[in-house]
Amino acid sequence: MASPIERLRGRTARPATESRVIDLAGEESEDVLDALATGTRRQLYLSLFDSTATTSELAERVDTSVQNVHHHVSVLRDVGLVEPIDTVYSEKGNEMTVYGPASDPLVLVGDHRHVGSDDVSLADLGAGVGLLALASVVVQWAAERVWTQVSTVPGAVGTASYADGGSSLVATIAWFVFEVVEPGVLFFVAGLLVAVLVSLASGGDRTR
């Protein structure tokens, strides 16, 4: 015969949760760390990241009594680590609260001033690449206009003079840049290289 837990109906999936950042220098960190100091409580908390559960299910997971689970869940709720996300009923009509983590992930930081710095860096990187790409398009457009005008002038350095055997270094470089590499692509690659070098230099200064 199936147990009441096995006959639960209508349970919702684990809801999406937001991250929670706790500054170790702040007041709330002491309460959170105290709440997670107990091994059984940590097991209960971690198991909720795998799947939401009722107190009866949690008791089976960590092999303890339902009363003990009620106590630990109450402590975790008080510090905002878990929260009720649903109510389900067994075939006997017993009401059961389903619990889940209140935040995911839970992040402990030593200096709140650096919170979100990675997100800012990624945003700056994306904006920088976008601006560089736009500038590369403009450079390519301008270079094509100049090359078209220059290459049509009799005796000018261009594809014709190169094809006729022109051996000057200027003619070779001009043909290679405008006809093979493309100025816009060259500009974009050079810009990325400069950005990487500047980033590496800045990172080295910060580690000193």
Side-chain angles (χ1 to χ4, degrees):
M1 183 177 178
S3 68
I5 298 301
E6 294 171 332
R7 298 194 300 269
L8 291 176
R9 302 191 307 256
R11 178 178 305 187
T12 61
R14 175 183 162 196
T17 54
E18 297 181 355
S19 62
R20 179 183 179 186
V21 180
I22 297 178
D23 185 357
L24 290 175
E27 296 180 358
E28 68 174 343
S29 65
E30 184 174 352
D31 294 333
V32 170
L33 293 177
D34 285 345
L36 296 174
T38 304
T40 300
R41 203 172 294 151
R42 285 198 304 274
Q43 285 182 295
L44 293 172
Y45 179 58
L46 290 174
S47 72
L48 291 176
F49 285 92
D50 295 328
S51 62
T52 58
T54 64
T55 53
S56 298
E57 290 173 321
L58 288 172
E60 291 181 3
R61 291 180 185 180
V62 300
D63 192 22
T64 188
S65 67
V66 174
Q67 290 76 13
N68 194 30
V69 170
H70 274 295
H71 166 70
H72 289 308
V73 168
S74 177
V75 174
L76 293 171
R77 286 187 63 181
D78 289 341
V79 296
L81 292 177
V82 303
E83 62 183 3
I85 64 168
D86 197 10
T87 300
V88 295
Y89 299 86
S90 69
E91 289 186 352
K92 294 183 178 180
N94 296 322
E95 183 177 293
M96 299 180 180
T97 300
V98 180
Y99 294 96
S103 57
D104 184 11
L106 176 68
V107 183
L108 301 178
V109 297
D111 190 344
H112 70 279
R113 292 174 298 179
H114 298 305
V115 174
S117 60
D118 290 340
D119 293 336
V120 173
S121 299
L122 289 176
D124 291 342
L125 177 61
V129 171
L131 289 175
L132 181 59
L134 179 60
S136 300
V137 172
V138 174
V139 168
Q140 180 67 28
W141 173 80
E144 287 179 353
R145 286 177 59 90
V146 172
W147 180 246
T148 299
Q149 294 174 359
V150 170
S151 61
T152 57
V153 176
V157 174
T159 55
S161 62
Y162 182 83
D164 291 338
S167 58
S168 70
L169 180 61
V170 174
T172 302
I173 294 176
W175 175 83
F176 182 79
V177 169
F178 284 91
E179 296 292 343
V180 179
V181 178
E182 301 291 348
V185 175
L186 188 62
F187 180 85
F188 184 78
V189 172
L192 283 181
L193 181 59
V194 171
V196 169
L197 292 177
V198 171
S199 178
L200 291 176
S202 301
D205 293 339
R206 286 196 297 268
T207 56
R208 291 177 185 153

